[in-house]
Amino acid sequence: MTQETWNAVDDYLTAHFVPADPTMEHVLTVSQNAGLPPHNVSPTQGKLLMLLARMHGSRRILEIGTLGGYSTIWLARALPPDGHLTTLEIDATAAQVAQSNIDHAGLRDRTAIHVGAALESLRAMVDNDEPPFDLIFIDADKPNNPAYLDYALRLSRRGSVIIGDNVIRDGAVLDSDSDDPRVQGVRTFNEQLANEPRLSATAIQTVGSKGYDGFALAIVIAD
Ligand code: SAH
Ligand code: DHB
Ligand code: MG
């Protein structure tokens, strides 16, 4: 199996399950024109996030790593009218692009972007006794994944769902000797997820237009 096959199958799946979505196409065009890297989740992955949030009945969502707002909009679409999503982004340009995309998607009233280092925003949320989130999507700088998971647990309740993107990275996750801090961040993240008694977790490998990668998925089962 090759990337060419994965792309063709992703095109097939997208044509069936994510048919003509001008809002999402606009988001991707605007993001690309602004020079943002193509690190957004794929259409079928975005719809998976939306479905997971809807299946879970999430009303308060936290995202770490906004980029142009592509996954943000998928997740926010799962919210009820009185639901809310907070997303954290360090890059001011990306945050601006994301805000305009969120506005274009009609989701401004349900969404807030916090611009700055996510660790700072997370610390402020804990200090300000932010109520727990129902679903947390971790998709920013991978070396900080272990710290993001610690904060995610502090900002959760029993029943909260935690999802992490990019936990496989072409199988690089197997390399215990890797000197890539992103690989080590993801390895530690997976170990934390597996060993944390407050969590029940798994990870799945994915192929598609984003190459060979994977998601980790956890639910908080204890206080
Ligand atoms: N979730 C997005 C993709 C995010 S890409 C989607 O699927 O559509 C990762 C993002 O994390 C980038 O926009 C990057 O600027 C941001 N990021 C990197 N380091 C960060 C940090 N320390 N704090 C907050 N955001 C960070
Ligand atoms: C990269 C980051 C991501 O979150 C992603 O989904 C794909 C690629 C990256 O930094 O290369
Ligand atoms: Mg990602």
Side-chain angles (χ1 to χ4, degrees):
M1 290 300 146
T2 63
Q3 182 64 55
E4 206 178 322
T5 308
W6 302 343
N7 288 343
V9 174
D10 239 350
D11 288 346
Y12 160 84
L13 294 174
T14 302
H16 281 77
F17 295 113
V18 199
D21 191 332
T23 300
M24 289 305 185
E25 282 158 28
H26 175 87
V27 171
L28 294 179
T29 306
V30 168
S31 300
Q32 192 179 8
N33 291 346
L36 300 185
H39 292 165
N40 48 273
V41 296
S42 69
T44 53
Q45 292 173 344
K47 190 156 183 188
L48 173 69
L49 292 173
M50 190 268 279
L51 289 170
L52 289 169
R54 191 165 285 175
M55 288 169 184
H56 183 243
S58 301
R59 306 177 70 83
R60 285 175 44 78
I61 297 176
L62 172 65
E63 176 181 68
I64 308 175
T66 317
L67 195 64
Y70 186 75
S71 55
T72 316
I73 292 168
W74 274 114
L75 286 165
R77 279 179 171 182
L79 290 169
D82 63 341
H84 195 265
L85 181 150
T86 300
T87 185
L88 313 181
E89 175 55 53
I90 199 169
D91 184 274
T93 304
Q96 256 176 15
V97 172
Q99 188 63 65
S100 92
N101 283 332
I102 289 163
D103 294 352
H104 185 262
L107 293 163
R108 187 185 183 85
D109 61 330
R110 262 173 263 186
T111 314
I113 306 175
H114 293 207
V115 184
L119 287 176
E120 300 300 321
S121 300
L122 291 162
R123 186 173 304 130
M125 283 192 265
V126 169
D127 288 349
N128 296 330
D129 291 320
E130 177 83 18
F133 291 95
D134 304 315
L135 185 150
I136 301 176
F137 179 47
I138 301 175
D139 189 23
D141 49 327
K142 311 311 171 194
N144 275 324
N145 264 24
Y148 294 151
L149 182 56
D150 289 340
Y151 274 112
L153 281 162
R154 296 175 74 173
L155 293 164
S156 294
R157 51 158 176 94
R158 207 185 283 216
S160 294
V161 163
I162 299 171
I163 303 171
D165 193 20
N166 311 114
V167 298
I168 305 295
R169 286 318 254 295
D170 284 314
V173 69
L174 289 181
D175 184 3
S176 57
D177 296 330
S178 173
D179 52 17
D180 183 338
R182 295 171 301 179
V183 171
Q184 293 300 347
V186 166
R187 285 179 60 85
T188 305
F189 179 68
N190 286 337
E191 271 161 49
Q192 281 174 300
L193 286 170
N195 297 329
E196 170 56 59
R198 287 171 289 175
L199 293 174
S200 178
T202 192
I204 45 167
Q205 307 180 64
T206 58
V207 294
S209 61
K210 298 296 301 292
Y212 169 38
D213 211 325
F215 284 103
L217 190 69
I219 186 161
V220 179
I221 53 168
D223 299 320

